[in-house]
Amino acid sequence: MADKDELPSGDQVAQVLGYIPQIGAYFRREAAEVPEALAVLFAEHRLTARHGGVLAQLAPSPPMSVTELAGRIGVSLSTASELVGDLSRAGVVARREDPDNRRRTLVSISDDWREVVQGVVAERSAPLIAALGDLSPRDLEGFARGLAAWAREVRPR
């Protein structure tokens, strides 16, 4: 790719942009393949893709604080708290006091939804995990930096 101080060439931009419709189609198709019970839950509680992003962070992780979650998904603490509140009211996440620090609240997928959510997250992430396994450490680092930069640019302001 281009040097940091150099703009990418038109060919490089065209190549990268060519992948976007394929990835978009994958995510649209996958959205239609969500288990019915989870789709109904999202519809009934007016949950959005942002809520799904929270679940994607919680599914493979041990319980985490709302502050840690906010950092992972790149939103303010108040936004993360609002998203967690919505998911908690829907029954898909559980909040509990941190036994080591009573001022902290830990969040995790609720027992009732853990298997379903972890299954969806594992299925959706499988192609990406496979692709990452094919990258050298240097390429993986560049890929991660590129995705982070893109995420910053598309984040609602």
Side-chain angles (χ1 to χ4, degrees), residues 1 4 32 40 44 52 63 76 79 86 91 94 120 128 148 150:
M1 222 40 193
K4 186 176 179 171
V40 167
E44 286 178 353
S76 69
T79 298
D86 294 342
V120 168
L128 176 59
W150 188 15

Side-chain angles (χ1 to χ4, degrees), residues 96-104 106:
R96 66 178 173 85
E97 185 179 275
D98 183 342
D100 297 328
N101 180 348
R102 292 183 173 181
R103 293 178 298 191
R104 278 178 24 134
L106 297 177

Side-chain angles (χ1 to χ4, degrees), residues 5-91:
D5 296 329
E6 216 178 288
L7 290 175
S9 73
D11 289 343
Q12 290 168 322
V13 171
Q15 180 184 13
V16 170
L17 291 178
Y19 297 123
I20 303 304
Q22 294 171 357
I23 294 168
Y26 169 76
F27 281 108
R28 283 189 301 278
R29 182 181 75 242
E30 288 296 309
E33 296 172 0
V34 169
E36 184 177 352
L38 193 58
V40 167
L41 178 89
F42 265 60
E44 286 178 353
H45 293 276
R46 296 183 178 186
L47 302 176
T48 66
R50 293 179 78 186
H51 295 92
V54 169
L55 297 179
Q57 289 298 315
L58 294 174
S61 303
M64 69 178 74
S65 72
V66 178
T67 302
E68 183 181 1
L69 177 64
R72 284 194 183 187
I73 62 174
V75 299
S76 69
L77 181 57
S78 62
T79 298
S81 293
E82 182 181 329
L83 292 168
V84 166
D86 294 342
L87 290 164
S88 178
R89 283 186 290 283

Side-chain angles (χ1 to χ4, degrees), residues 76-146:
S76 69
L77 181 57
S78 62
T79 298
S81 293
E82 182 181 329
L83 292 168
V84 166
D86 294 342
L87 290 164
S88 178
R89 283 186 290 283
V92 74
V93 300
R95 295 184 278 193
R96 66 178 173 85
E97 185 179 275
D98 183 342
D100 297 328
N101 180 348
R102 292 183 173 181
R103 293 178 298 191
R104 278 178 24 134
T105 298
L106 297 177
V107 182
S108 61
I109 305 293
S110 69
D111 290 341
D112 292 342
W113 288 97
R114 183 170 289 116
E115 188 175 322
V116 171
V117 171
Q118 286 178 333
V120 168
V121 171
E123 191 173 310
R124 284 189 159 201
S125 62
L128 176 59
I129 299 301
L132 296 177
D134 290 341
L135 298 177
S136 70
R138 181 176 181 214
D139 288 345
L140 180 56
E141 183 181 329
F143 183 77
R145 279 196 328 268

